[in-house]
Amino acid sequence: MAEAAAQDLLLAAAFVSDAQYNRNIPFKTSPEAVRLYQLYNHWMMRTATYFFIFLNLSLALFEEPAVYPLPFLATSVLEVLCLLVFLGRLTHFAKVTLHNVFWKDTKNICIMVAILLSLTDLAIYGVLRLYDVRSIRWSRIVRPIFLINFAESRQIRRAFRSIRNTLPEITYVFLLFMFSLLMFSLMALKLFGERNLQTAEGLPYFRNYLEIVFDLYVLVTTANSPDVMMPAFDFSSWYALFFIAFVIINTYIFMSLFLAVVYNNYKKHLKNEIRKLAYMKRRKMIEAFNLLKEKEGEQFVVREARWKQLVKLVAPDTSSSHRELLLRISDDEQKGFVGTVYLPWDQADPWHSAADKKSFVQLADLLNIQVVTLKIRRHPLARWVPALYGSAPSRLLRSVLRHRAFVWTYDTIILINAIFIALDEESPYISYAEWVFLAVYVLEILLKVYTYEPREFFGKTQFWNWFDTLIIFAALTATILNATLKSTMKYNSQQILDIVFILRVLRLIRIVDSIQRFRVIMNTLINIVPTMLTFGGLTLVVYCVFAIIGMELFHGKIQYFPANSNTPHALECGNPALKDSLFARGKYCKNNFNNFASSFIVLMELTVVNQWHVFANGFANVTAQPAKLYFIAFHIVMVIIIVNIFVSFILEAFFVEYSLEKSEVETAIEQKIQELGMGVQEDELRDEQLLDNMESAEHELEGEGGTKAQSKGLLFKIASKRYRTVDALLQRMFEAEIPLEDEGPSFEEILNLSPTSAVPRSPSSESPA
């Protein structure tokens, strides 16, 4: 019986952990499979998987054409090692999931196919290499599949799903845009083709239809404006109307329409994804409750001891005082079990009590809200010299330093210092002023350490205190060192000082953060950082694919030579086809696809869009005109689709940040903290007074079985809302719309939800046998 209870507890912990981290993996429920599943989700396993994924991608830096060449045997061994790790990870995943689910999952099939293709290509390439036959490593283009399709990369897959779901709507707009482009190109051919006009380079102007289409497509991106218009404009000012109409229709209307369509579809499909996560979380928590519930009168409840064991399994790093606080919230009346409000119980519907449901289901939300444990310490000086530290002048000084006016004073000093840094550094007065500013900054740090307990001032989360201290003392050290070396007339480290001065100017960010209306923008920027990593992974996938294709198409076609090189055709990037071209005259020779790193730089420059047509024409000149399709394809995928999706996310993030207030769960936690007399009001905590020191493991908030809650030296507060992710806020928006009595659809129905499907309602929850 005890063994069965332990197994149920382990399985319930897996369900709660999945609900907490929004995992939707349908795993086997046997004890061995659950343990394997927990191992699969361990942070070390995930970290190792990402390490080998990025190692596999980075092999392109060491393979021909290489940035840092390594022997073929070395790169082959590393690639085989990565593939074996991927195979092991996939096998591990197969052991914990249901067989029918595993083989129906497209991402698992993609990983197996990618492993097979990579091994096959590696073997073929190795054999041909033995016979000195050059071949293409075509399988390198499938390496990003590992980044996309492993279970850890669900955020990147969600972004790709958004792109896939948005493509049908974009296609219609794109076809209409192409129709407009082709029509304007035809008009341009008829208007200018027979007038014998020439470009600034002396080339025929608008006489080839395909070249006109390309030039006008570039004009849509504004990269060749107004150059493309000037020959016609010089011939007749009336022709400017043609280009003005073209820009208005295609650049402003169609490009804005692209953003509107992308945003509308992105928002629709994002809500569907969030809806799935919300229902999946609730379903997981219901399953966990059904495993742990016991009959109490006419209710099903989870006993306090069982609840504590569950929380300790799910969040082992949580302090006992934090767990006790969460229990006080879940068991508000301290009845000894979670679920205390009586409602008539129906045998067919054991979840008839909405209050019971809420008290347990909210556990995943409680664990996701960061509650900071504050430990109050006495200042060392208060222990060593209590009479001096507690004297009236000392108290007055500390009260002044804690006042907001002190912060404003130093913000003003930072602004003045920024102005002095921008002035003539050769002036002796400016040099003397820098010493004065350094002295003032050092005095600030010393006064703050005198006022605030040092371990609290330099706590783990006190970023700005660490930042200020390091910058100031680095500047002081560099200034003293520079003055000493200058006195010997042997060395001048002014450049180092300039860097330190620039870093000090970055303290201006604190001034921006202290302004209320700017804080929403700062919060949003901080909140979108995790999702920016997702779009960073998305960009990495696109860049890898296009970089590998670009290296195969353009490797060695363009070479870079130093300015004093005597190599033939050095001014033409080593290729006479570029003679007198804008590419060569612009000295763009270093922008080539001769290795993986250079390819990434070129793709970044193409993403910026400016002068991208010069790159396209240059590489088309050294290969063939259809090479321009490569650059057009990259612009469509990266700039029109992915960048617009990123812009859509930024818009949604700002809307959420402006509209959402505290959640109901956060409010419940804060109320309970205040009821226990262990709360700290947010407005009482200045930036320099945050006591976010998590060293409270030895303190406990004991319940009925022990002593009274200890408030001495121990306080709690909700962590700053700026550390909430936008995904979590969006999920909260949808969860607020779900009634407590709504258990949602089954696991299979949740996974098959579409943006237009109605949400199936589950009339009751069947109690397990």
Side-chain angles (χ1 to χ4, degrees), residues 484-715:
T484 303
L485 294 176
K486 282 184 70 174
S487 65
T488 65
M489 301 300 292
K490 294 180 180 179
Y491 181 73
N492 190 332
S493 60
Q494 186 62 42
Q495 291 182 343
I496 298 176
L497 283 178
D498 291 342
I499 295 173
V500 175
F501 294 154
I502 291 172
L503 291 175
R504 275 217 316 271
V505 174
L506 293 178
R507 293 181 55 173
L508 291 168
I509 298 174
R510 292 193 63 174
I511 301 175
V512 174
D513 190 58
S514 65
I515 299 173
Q516 179 65 32
R517 292 192 177 274
F518 289 163
R519 194 170 298 139
V520 171
I521 301 174
M522 296 295 293
N523 289 345
T524 304
L525 293 176
I526 293 173
N527 288 338
I528 67 175
V529 168
T531 308
M532 284 182 68
L533 296 178
T534 299
F535 283 96
L538 191 64
T539 302
L540 178 63
V541 169
V542 175
Y543 273 34
C544 283
V545 171
F546 276 90
I548 292 169
I549 295 174
M551 286 191 294
E552 298 297 343
L553 292 176
F554 309 117
H555 170 64
K557 303 294 184 182
I558 292 175
Q559 301 290 336
Y560 170 74
F561 300 96
N564 57 354
S565 174
N566 295 323
T567 305
H569 304 296
L571 296 178
E572 293 84 29
C573 307
N575 197 315
L578 291 175
K579 185 176 180 179
D580 297 328
S581 67
L582 287 175
F583 191 96
R585 291 207 302 267
K587 297 183 179 179
Y588 292 165
C589 304
K590 212 167 187 177
N591 297 302
N592 54 57
F593 288 90
N594 293 345
N595 56 60
F596 200 58
S598 295
S599 302
F600 262 61
I601 294 173
V602 173
L603 294 175
M604 184 275 296
E605 293 169 330
L606 293 176
T607 304
V608 177
V609 174
N610 190 37
Q611 296 290 79
W612 74 275
H613 63 292
V614 176
F615 288 78
N617 285 320
F619 284 99
N621 289 340
V622 298
T623 52
Q625 290 304 308
K628 294 177 181 178
L629 295 175
Y630 169 88
F631 297 91
I632 294 174
F634 179 80
H635 180 267
I636 293 172
V637 172
M638 191 67 214
V639 179
I640 293 182
I641 298 179
I642 294 181
V643 171
N644 274 330
I645 286 182
F646 182 68
V647 171
S648 301
F649 172 79
I650 297 294
L651 292 173
E652 193 66 18
F654 269 90
F655 293 152
V656 171
E657 187 68 35
Y658 273 102
S659 60
L660 278 183
E661 300 296 333
K662 286 182 180 177
S663 70
E664 185 179 351
V665 177
E666 287 175 306
T667 303
I669 292 178
E670 289 186 341
Q671 287 177 350
K672 181 56 63 176
I673 290 173
Q674 297 304 323
E675 286 175 14
L676 295 174
M678 308 183 73
V680 178
Q681 295 296 331
E682 192 71 33
D683 54 2
E684 294 176 0
L685 292 171
R686 306 296 183 192
D687 289 342
E688 296 83 1
Q689 291 178 274
L690 291 179
L691 312 177
D692 296 348
N693 199 317
M694 300 301 292
E695 300 174 8
S696 58
E698 71 276 10
H699 292 271
E700 294 188 7
L701 281 173
E702 300 185 16
E704 292 179 342
T707 60
K708 293 181 180 180
Q710 303 174 15
S711 60
K712 183 177 180 180
L714 192 63
L715 297 175

Side-chain angles (χ1 to χ4, degrees), residues 116-133:
L116 181 61
L117 290 177
S118 299
L119 289 174
T120 303
D121 179 45
L122 183 63
I124 295 173
Y125 184 84
V127 171
L128 293 176
R129 186 182 176 89
L130 292 175
Y131 293 96
D132 294 326
V133 178

Side-chain angles (χ1 to χ4, degrees), residues 386-522:
L388 175 62
Y389 196 74
S391 64
S394 176
R395 292 198 303 271
L396 176 62
L397 175 63
R398 284 181 280 136
S399 64
V400 170
L401 293 174
R402 286 192 176 97
H403 198 274
R404 190 65 185 170
F406 179 79
V407 178
W408 293 340
T409 300
Y410 267 88
D411 287 346
T412 305
I413 292 174
I414 293 172
L415 286 171
I416 297 173
N417 189 195
I419 296 173
F420 271 75
I421 291 175
L423 296 177
D424 183 13
E425 62 185 21
E426 298 298 328
S427 171
Y429 297 104
I430 301 298
S431 178
Y432 296 148
E434 287 301 332
W435 283 100
V436 173
F437 283 118
L438 279 174
V440 171
Y441 292 145
V442 171
L443 178 64
E444 177 198 14
I445 296 298
L446 294 177
L447 289 174
K448 286 182 177 179
V449 173
Y450 176 81
T451 303
Y452 307 112
E453 205 279 329
R455 284 177 296 180
E456 296 165 358
F457 184 76
F458 293 111
K460 296 177 182 178
T461 59
Q462 301 304 311
F463 169 78
W464 286 115
N465 294 340
W466 280 101
F467 179 82
D468 289 346
T469 305
L470 291 175
I471 291 300
I472 290 167
F473 280 97
L476 179 63
T477 303
T479 305
I480 295 174
L481 180 62
N482 183 62
T484 303
L485 294 176
K486 282 184 70 174
S487 65
T488 65
M489 301 300 292
K490 294 180 180 179
Y491 181 73
N492 190 332
S493 60
Q494 186 62 42
Q495 291 182 343
I496 298 176
L497 283 178
D498 291 342
I499 295 173
V500 175
F501 294 154
I502 291 172
L503 291 175
R504 275 217 316 271
V505 174
L506 293 178
R507 293 181 55 173
L508 291 168
I509 298 174
R510 292 193 63 174
I511 301 175
V512 174
D513 190 58
S514 65
I515 299 173
Q516 179 65 32
R517 292 192 177 274
F518 289 163
R519 194 170 298 139
V520 171
I521 301 174
M522 296 295 293

